[in-house]
Amino acid sequence: MSATAATSTVLVTGGTSGFGAATARRFVAAGWRVIVTGRRADRLQTLVEELGADRVHPAAFDIRDDAAIDAALDALPEAFRGIDLLVNNAGLALGTAPAQKAKLDDWRTMIATNVTGLVTITHRLLPTLIERKGAIINLSSVAATYPYPGGNAYGGTKAFVRQFSLGLRSDLHGTGVRVTSVEPGLCESEFTLVRTGGNQAAYDALYGGAHALQPADIAETIYWIATLPPHMNINAIEMMPVSQSFAPFQIHRDGV
């Protein structure tokens, strides 16, 4: 990255909670300017009040709305226009049912958010990132590699994010732009509450005693990747809590 920390700017999508909010805090602590996006303007404003208006610019929009993305980027204050790093964090999982019982609208929402929104804002910022020899860090998931019951469309969207990241690396060869796919496993955040429609019991059952990764762990990893020497690229990085490993293959037996 050509800029120094004192003049560097990162845009973090989905910055109202979890990974995104933790990432905003980590970069501000290191002296970066941060643009945080999300649908919940009140939460973005809370981050501004916490971290300072000179360091954080809130951009409230839905990542699925192309026109809103364009309007928000066009309205950036001059001090925040030189974006050196794009962190594509906005995303969600909806439902845990098997494919045959899943809601099609949930699938469409996940695809529109995790895939279409991500590629739209990436495409919009590529000229700036190329000019500044910047970086793109995309939040994928271990679900991109390891299928599990109920993962269906969510896992498919995260597999897209991983492959899209590798494809970007190939296309951006020679530009100096770095691209990384970050692929976390079990991490404690609002993710599960969103996925289960606010089921606190499901949240407690999933994370209880698991010593899951925390959003700050992901933020630290993102910061580490972003601040490596400019000749180094981390293509993909997969992480899990020590408590999580790999499940056996499923075998269905007739009559059992």
Side-chain angles (χ1 to χ4, degrees):
M1 226 168 287
S2 58
T4 65
T7 60
S8 295
T9 299
V10 54
L11 187 152
V12 183
T13 67
T16 59
S17 65
F19 300 176
T23 299
R25 293 185 179 101
R26 181 64 184 89
F27 278 86
V28 167
W32 289 53
R33 295 188 184 96
V34 180
I35 304 159
V36 284
T37 84
R39 292 177 298 162
R40 293 172 287 190
D42 56 333
R43 291 203 181 188
L44 295 178
Q45 187 56 41
T46 297
L47 272 177
V48 173
E49 292 167 3
E50 174 191 342
L51 301 174
D54 60 328
R55 286 292 161 188
V56 178
H57 174 76
F61 61 83
D62 189 326
I63 196 71
R64 298 172 295 176
D65 186 334
D66 293 6
I69 291 172
D70 287 343
L73 294 178
D74 290 342
L76 288 174
E78 188 61 35
F80 289 86
R81 285 186 172 272
I83 296 169
D84 301 285
L85 171 63
L86 169 61
V87 176
N88 276 314
N89 168 71
L92 78 168
L94 295 173
T96 58
Q100 64 272 29
K101 296 181 180 179
K103 297 177 181 177
L104 181 57
D105 282 348
D106 285 349
W107 285 7
R108 287 174 170 157
T109 298
M110 286 186 278
I111 292 167
T113 305
N114 303 356
V115 175
T116 308
L118 182 148
V119 301
T120 300
I121 196 165
T122 300
H123 189 269
R124 179 68 159 76
L125 289 177
L126 279 176
T128 298
L129 293 167
I130 291 170
E131 178 185 353
R132 297 178 70 84
K133 298 186 185 301
I136 301 165
I137 299 177
N138 293 325
L139 267 294
S140 180
S141 166
V142 296
T145 303
Y146 310 107
Y148 59 88
N152 44 68
Y154 173 73
T157 64
K158 291 303 181 179
F160 174 90
V161 171
R162 186 180 199 282
Q163 192 65 22
F164 180 63
S165 301
L166 297 176
L168 280 175
R169 273 276 288 139
S170 182
D171 286 346
L172 293 170
H173 178 79
T175 66
V177 177
R178 299 185 292 171
V179 186
T180 302
S181 173
V182 174
E183 300 162 13
L186 185 68
C187 187
E188 187 172 3
S189 70
E190 290 183 2
F191 174 90
T192 296
L193 290 176
V194 172
R195 187 169 203 171
T196 62
N199 187 332
Q200 186 65 46
Y203 180 99
D204 294 341
L206 179 62
Y207 297 117
H211 304 290
L213 298 174
Q214 298 297 311
D217 299 325
I218 309 306
E220 191 63 38
T221 303
I222 291 170
Y223 179 76
W224 170 72
I225 293 167
T227 54
L228 288 170
H231 69 279
M232 293 181 63
N233 192 90
I234 304 299
N235 295 329
I237 184 167
E238 178 184 295
M239 66 203 77
M240 292 180 176
V242 175
S243 63
Q244 185 181 30
S245 60
F246 311 103
F249 285 111
Q250 301 179 89
I251 300 174
H252 173 75
R253 303 184 189 281
D254 291 340
V256 176

